[in-house]
Amino acid sequence: MKLDDLLLQVSSHQGVFLCEGIRHPEQRKEVQFSHHISTILSETTLPDIGRLHDFYATFGSITFFVDELSGDEGKHLASPENWAELDAEFRGWIDHFSEEEKEDYLPDWVDTCLVIGEEPRTGNYLLMPTRGESEGRVFVFDHDGYEFVDEAEDIIAYVEYMLKPDNALLVSLASHMRFIEEGSQHQWWILELRDNRGNFATTAA
């Protein structure tokens, strides 16, 4: 089922990051953000879990919190055509584990999960288990510490979370978005977010 209201919400959502200079905290900068939506390219066979059918009846892919000037991107839900590439990248982080290490560090669903997106340029990936109690949920694999963080009950709930950014989400974005523009090495740290939906978030809390 196509989700026209959600499509409108994503396409119209925009806002600004208030940033301070890294190494130069007295400097301030505002960075505009929006979300990029790609069109649906082709019919794809999808498993009947996690509201994947609803999402991909509406979107080809979504890149969240895009800064046009630097090209920085916050989160990315990928087209199914790109899942295999993301899967190979993700498994490069865990394939060297011994069986004992897998039992100690990895969830039991990891061998069959879908890799549906990423946090661009971080080595972190968005995963969806295909079996067990966590089937259909969205997890973030954080390679720093090999953590699997439960983010949302399904892919639609994940999108809705992106539209209601809170302090935790902003800290996650700030951890890798630096807004380095062409011809400059100046890096920036996000202090606050304000958007056109009335949301406010801070990394100071």
Side-chain angles (χ1 to χ4, degrees):
M1 179 180 67
K2 188 174 181 180
L3 305 173
D4 292 325
D5 184 59
L6 187 62
L7 176 60
L8 178 61
Q9 290 182 56
V10 174
S11 61
S12 63
H13 185 215
Q14 56 188 310
V16 63
F17 299 119
L18 173 64
C19 306
E20 68 176 14
I22 295 177
R23 299 183 182 176
H24 300 280
E26 73 282 359
Q27 297 182 1
R28 292 289 190 271
K29 176 180 181 176
E30 289 191 348
V31 176
Q32 304 289 327
F33 71 78
S34 60
H35 311 310
H36 287 187
I37 301 168
S38 74
T39 56
I40 302 167
L41 297 178
S42 61
E43 291 289 332
T44 304
T45 301
L46 299 167
D48 190 19
I49 59 172
R51 300 190 70 186
L52 289 174
H53 286 278
D54 290 342
F55 179 84
Y56 288 107
T58 308
F59 306 97
S61 67
I62 309 176
T63 306
F64 298 97
F65 303 103
V66 178
D67 167 36
E68 298 285 356
L69 294 179
S70 67
D72 272 15
E73 302 168 345
K75 315 278 185 177
H76 178 64
L77 286 171
S79 167
E81 287 85 353
N82 299 123
W83 286 358
E85 180 180 353
L86 292 173
D87 184 86
E89 293 174 4
F90 161 64
R91 299 201 184 275
W93 288 98
I94 63 173
D95 280 348
H96 63 283
F97 277 27
S98 67
E99 290 303 316
E100 183 177 350
E101 287 172 326
K102 288 181 179 180
E103 290 183 8
D104 289 341
Y105 296 107
L106 305 182
D108 58 8
W109 45 257
V110 75
D111 287 342
T112 58
C113 72
L114 303 174
V115 185
I116 61 172
E118 63 178 331
E119 296 180 344
R121 305 177 193 171
T122 66
N124 300 338
Y125 296 89
L126 303 177
L127 313 178
M128 179 175 286
T130 60
R131 58 183 174 83
E133 293 182 358
S134 298
E135 177 184 305
R137 300 189 70 85
V138 176
F139 286 76
V140 173
F141 165 70
D142 185 341
H143 76 274
D144 185 12
Y146 283 82
E147 295 182 280
F148 294 80
V149 182
D150 192 347
E151 289 277 285
E153 66 181 12
D154 56 43
I155 195 170
I156 301 302
Y158 182 82
V159 174
E160 292 170 343
Y161 178 40
M162 296 299 105
L163 299 176
K164 299 176 183 177
D166 58 14
N167 294 349
L169 175 54
L170 189 61
V171 169
S172 173
L173 296 172
S175 69
H176 70 274
M177 300 182 77
R178 291 292 176 266
F179 312 114
I180 303 172
E181 297 180 20
E182 185 176 355
S184 172
Q185 294 300 313
H186 204 141
Q187 301 184 44
W188 301 88
W189 171 259
I190 301 173
L191 296 173
E192 297 175 355
L193 172 153
R194 298 178 188 273
D195 68 15
N196 62 347
R197 296 167 60 91
N199 294 303
F200 171 80
T202 175
T203 57

